[in-house]
Amino acid sequence: MTAQEWPLAGRGETLRSVARIASRRERAGAIAVGPPGVGRTRFARAALAAVGATGPGPGYPGGPSWHPVWVMASRPTRDIPLGALSHLLPQLDPGDGSPGWLLHEARQVLMREKGRATLLLGVDDVHLLDETTAVLLHQLASSGDAFLVLTAPTGVRVPDPIFALWKEGLVERIDLPELTRRESDELVVGVLGGHVETSTLSRLWSLSLGNPLFLQELVRGARASGVLRAIGRVWHADGPIPITARLAEIMQQRTEGSEPLEQSLMRLLAFGQP
């Protein structure tokens, strides 16, 4: 099983909840919040699929259903008005470049493109959105012209219009926790198949602490190195579980924004262990 084929563990009920909110129009969207590696992007994409499977959008019984679009915010587009949405707005008339004009034109383009369907807009990492895009999302939610599926990391500051979305109850905030020990074990067993020794499951849990991304990389690295192998139908890890290059890069990316004193402390803890 490849990395892309790993199941989305422990999120079934939450996905059904988002689909229910959309089909009943209880809110104008949902925002998934969680720590790095917990699977916010994966969850949001699955939520878009779940909502899209609910049938015709509100107001169009028997007609076209949802018009799903996906947006990934990033640091390079953070200072560009509507930068994250540029691929959705190729025909946008920039006019005088004022926020009011851009908001009006962007809204017109999105409404025209969706036709009679309901706009289903997924936006990953909303903390990296420019102010104009954030205002546009708030307007779309307030007017009922779109159902939003958003993501944001825990503990970061988001643009004020995005914060207002869940503060005002326009979207449902969904906190994605790490996997429980049981969910972690079931995921590993399901991916590997057969039986996995309890000691191996315990080691994987102690190293990942329920972080799905870390768990995935640990299992991949252990299998690729031969440390994790099956004898008959029983999986057993014999030796230290290696850190993959991808996991090392992820950890480096996560810590490079830390203060020098924090990095020094992390190195000390990593070297000293318990």
Side-chain angles (χ1 to χ4, degrees):
M1 179 175 288
T2 66
Q4 289 72 27
E5 293 171 335
W6 274 57
L8 189 64
R11 313 297 187 208
E13 182 55 41
T14 310
L15 286 173
R16 288 188 287 273
S17 174
V18 175
R20 183 170 60 250
I21 290 170
S23 63
R24 297 177 181 176
R25 209 58 161 179
E26 297 172 355
R27 298 279 193 279
I31 180 167
V33 181
V38 81
R40 297 185 309 270
T41 303
R42 182 98 182 273
F43 175 84
R45 287 189 177 277
L48 248 66
V51 171
T54 60
Y60 299 106
S65 52
W66 301 92
H67 177 70
V69 291
W70 180 252
V71 173
M72 295 187 69
S74 63
R75 288 184 176 84
T77 62
R78 192 172 195 168
D79 298 323
I80 304 173
L82 301 176
L85 301 180
S86 60
H87 63 294
L88 303 177
L89 308 170
Q91 306 301 322
L92 179 72
D93 178 4
D96 60 6
S98 66
W101 176 270
L102 291 175
L103 285 169
H104 176 268
E105 288 300 302
R107 188 188 185 96
Q108 292 300 310
V109 172
L110 291 174
M111 293 300 99
R112 186 166 59 248
E113 288 297 320
K114 77 177 183 61
R116 295 180 60 246
T118 301
L119 181 62
L120 177 56
L121 180 56
V123 185
D124 196 24
D125 286 339
V126 291
H127 63 296
L128 298 176
L129 288 177
D130 64 277
E131 195 72 17
T132 304
T133 303
V135 171
L136 177 61
L137 294 186
H138 190 279
Q139 290 180 348
L140 291 171
S142 300
S143 63
D145 285 331
F147 187 85
L148 308 179
V149 178
L150 315 174
T151 77
T154 303
V156 301
R157 185 182 183 281
V158 299
D160 289 342
I162 301 298
F163 177 72
L165 284 174
W166 73 76
K167 181 183 177 183
E168 298 169 1
L170 287 169
V171 303
E172 183 81 7
R173 173 172 169 144
I174 298 172
D175 290 287
L176 297 179
E178 309 280 13
L179 299 177
T180 65
R181 170 62 193 271
R182 178 178 178 179
E183 290 169 342
S184 174
D185 289 354
E186 289 177 349
L187 179 57
V188 173
V189 171
V191 168
L192 295 178
H195 177 74
V196 184
E197 284 190 342
T198 301
S199 59
T200 297
L201 291 173
S202 296
R203 291 174 63 190
L204 290 169
W205 167 257
S206 66
L207 291 170
S208 67
L209 294 180
N211 186 293
L213 178 59
F214 294 173
L215 180 62
Q216 177 176 295
E217 287 302 314
L218 289 167
V219 171
R220 288 179 62 197
R223 290 188 66 180
S225 67
V227 168
L228 179 61
R229 61 184 186 275
I231 301 177
R233 288 186 56 81
V234 179
W235 289 88
H236 169 70
D238 184 17
I241 295 178
I243 303 298
T244 65
R246 182 167 181 260
L247 182 54
E249 290 170 358
I250 291 170
M251 294 303 298
Q252 181 178 358
Q253 184 181 36
R254 301 277 163 80
T255 58
E256 63 184 7
S258 305
E259 296 294 330
L261 183 59
E262 292 176 316
Q263 293 187 23
S264 177
L265 178 59
M266 285 188 284
R267 283 193 294 269
L268 178 62
L269 290 172
F271 177 77
Q273 297 294 325

